[in-house]
Amino acid sequence: MNPQAFGKYQLLKKLATGGMAEVWLARQTGIEGFQKELVVKRILPHLAEDREFVEMFKNEALIAARFNHPNIAQVYEFGEANGTYYIAMEFIHGEDLGRVMRKASGMNQWIARPLAIRIVASACEGLYYAHSRTDDRGQPLNVVHRDISPQNILISFDGSVKLVDFGIAKAADQASMTKSGAIKGKFAYMAPEQAAGKHLDRRADIFAIGLVLYEMLTGHRPLKKDSELATLQAAMECSIPSPSEVADVPRDMDHVVMRALARSADDRYDNAREFQTALEELLVNERWLVTSGQISELMKTLFADRLSEELKQGQFV
């Protein structure tokens, strides 16, 4: 790897490129051999000139910087280098939940039910924290993630669960709304009110995290259709069979999952803590004890090839 200088960071490896930004594994160095691995997300060049977008990117970074919770990736800094705005954030050594599910499926395994429930309960804990944040005067920030999906839930090799891209999806949403009236976000995880372009609150995120749990329990994405338009239509119609109808899932789990997936936001859990509590009760009732150590074991089993490659190379792959 030939690191490229970017402000006070060295960019080591491009991890992803999205519609708005590219994400790099980076290193910060200091005196006495100090080194820290982190992630730098920088705005794509064609958006760097869009003052409206940059302003929203900045505002959302300032909101995300207020978060300090074990289930949310920490934002360290919002800055500018080489004429580009960026966000520096915690590097999570792991994989996103979408890749975890695909890897398990490819190995003819599936994520055990207790682990799936524990992962989503942990994500709910991070969601509740974010949804209930206030500003310096105690006024609610009313943060809505708007893009909860398996890609934005990271599972680390030590078994921790972290939400990423908080509020940045909202910035993208607003930027595109002002340009074309488009609805952004991953259609297959969209609440009906989001698909219809209506006002959103935290309960849209509860719907999305409910869909993530549904997929982990059943292996099905109930809103996913052959085209984006058909998927959007399915999201608006919100006709979802209960988990036990499509897979071998105990019927006593149906009501817990389906309450999160109610078509009307008023019929869902009022907040993410309520959903988390219902999930914790499921674990207690089934006498399932699930620890981060078990999630860590799952990750190390699924991604043994990646971890051995890193060991061989002496660096993150």
Side-chain angles (χ1 to χ4, degrees), residues 206-262:
I206 289 168
F207 186 94
I209 198 82
L211 281 175
V212 171
L213 178 59
Y214 188 104
E215 182 178 350
M216 292 179 81
L217 292 175
T218 66
H220 292 267
R221 284 199 276 172
L223 302 182
K224 179 76 175 149
K225 306 296 176 201
D226 291 339
S227 70
E228 284 200 340
L229 192 60
T231 302
L232 193 62
Q233 189 67 39
M236 285 193 277
E237 288 169 8
C238 192
S239 178
I240 300 174
S242 57
S244 66
E245 291 176 63
V246 296
D248 180 22
V249 177
R251 293 187 65 174
D252 62 353
M253 291 190 186
D254 284 348
H255 72 282
V256 174
V257 179
M258 296 310 288
R259 185 173 167 196
L261 300 180

Side-chain angles (χ1 to χ4, degrees), residues 87-204:
I87 293 172
M89 57 199 296
E90 178 183 4
F91 168 63
I92 288 105
H93 183 220
E95 297 279 355
D96 72 65
L97 182 56
R99 283 187 183 159
V100 174
M101 286 195 276
R102 286 195 299 277
K103 186 79 167 177
S105 177
M107 294 168 73
N108 288 320
Q109 295 186 38
W110 200 241
I111 298 167
R113 221 172 274 142
L115 292 183
I117 293 169
R118 165 56 57 219
I119 287 167
V120 173
S122 298
C124 282
E125 204 170 323
L127 264 183
Y128 179 77
Y129 172 88
H131 289 161
S132 53
R133 286 305 84 197
T134 57
D135 64 17
D136 297 336
R137 294 168 313 201
Q139 298 300 308
L141 287 171
N142 293 323
V143 172
V144 184
H145 189 292
R146 297 170 183 237
D147 197 16
I148 292 288
S149 69
Q151 286 67 42
N152 285 332
I153 300 170
L154 301 189
I155 316 292
S156 76
F157 288 114
D158 65 10
S160 57
V161 177
K162 305 260 186 181
L163 297 173
V164 292
D165 275 2
F166 244 106
I168 295 165
K170 184 177 177 185
D173 225 22
Q174 290 170 342
S176 62
M177 287 292 276
T178 54
K179 297 288 178 287
S180 64
I183 301 168
K184 290 290 180 186
K186 298 178 184 74
F187 293 162
Y189 299 94
M190 239 179 223
E193 63 271 25
Q194 187 172 4
K198 294 178 180 169
H199 171 75
L200 301 185
D201 62 22
R202 62 195 180 201
R203 294 169 300 180

Side-chain angles (χ1 to χ4, degrees), residues 38-75:
L38 65 155
V39 163
V40 167
K41 176 176 288 201
R42 61 181 184 184
I43 296 180
L44 292 173
H46 71 280
L47 284 170
E49 303 303 313
D50 185 331
R51 283 179 55 194
E52 198 176 1
F53 175 79
V54 168
E55 189 62 26
M56 284 182 287
F57 188 81
K58 179 185 82 175
N59 289 342
E60 298 302 338
L62 295 177
I63 288 173
R66 292 173 180 268
F67 297 159
N68 184 12
H69 190 275
N71 297 117
I72 298 176
Q74 180 79 51
V75 168

